Amino acid sequence: MTDPTDAETRLRARLAEVEERVVAQRRAVDGIVESARDSNADDEHDPEGATLAWERQQASALAAGAETERRELLAALDRVAAGTYGVCEVCGRPIPAARLEARPAATRCVEHAR
Ligand SMILES: [Zn+2]
């Protein structure tokens, strides 16, 4: 059985990291938007504008990824509170501790992982 206190500690530590990443990535997106505005870049005709658009797209994707992970971790903390953390949502069997260490927000056992 997974110790709920350990699980919560691990989830909160991971959440703190992810929240820093969300903030940093949002700042990166804003910074790129700023510099695009400063250089008066034209996405279609200015090669620098195209690069900035690509960079902005990459930074936005990273920000979105961090936000998704943040939501998953918050959902996992809800499951700790509800006493359902570490149980596969498909078969109801305990998710192996090693898997939860690697992926603290996992909702499924290895067999039922997407
Ligand atoms: Zn399962």
Side-chain angles (χ1 to χ4, degrees), residues 9-95:
T9 305
R10 192 160 54 214
L11 285 166
R12 290 204 182 280
R14 188 73 73 107
L15 185 62
E17 282 172 29
V18 169
E19 277 176 345
E20 273 177 29
R21 254 167 58 212
V22 170
V23 171
Q25 289 305 333
R26 278 195 193 138
R27 204 171 288 150
V29 175
D30 288 349
I32 294 161
V33 172
E34 280 297 307
S35 58
R37 201 176 294 139
D38 289 351
S39 67
N40 223 351
D42 180 332
D43 278 11
E44 274 181 70
H45 303 108
D46 180 352
E48 198 187 345
T51 305
L52 284 170
W54 185 85
E55 279 177 10
R56 189 174 56 210
Q57 209 171 30
Q58 296 301 305
S60 297
L62 286 172
E67 302 237 15
T68 302
E69 194 173 346
R70 181 174 171 271
R71 272 197 303 275
E72 286 174 359
L73 289 167
L74 288 172
L77 281 166
D78 282 348
R79 293 197 299 279
V80 173
T84 58
Y85 178 74
V87 175
C88 173
E89 66 183 3
V90 177
C91 63
R93 285 195 299 242
I95 300 171

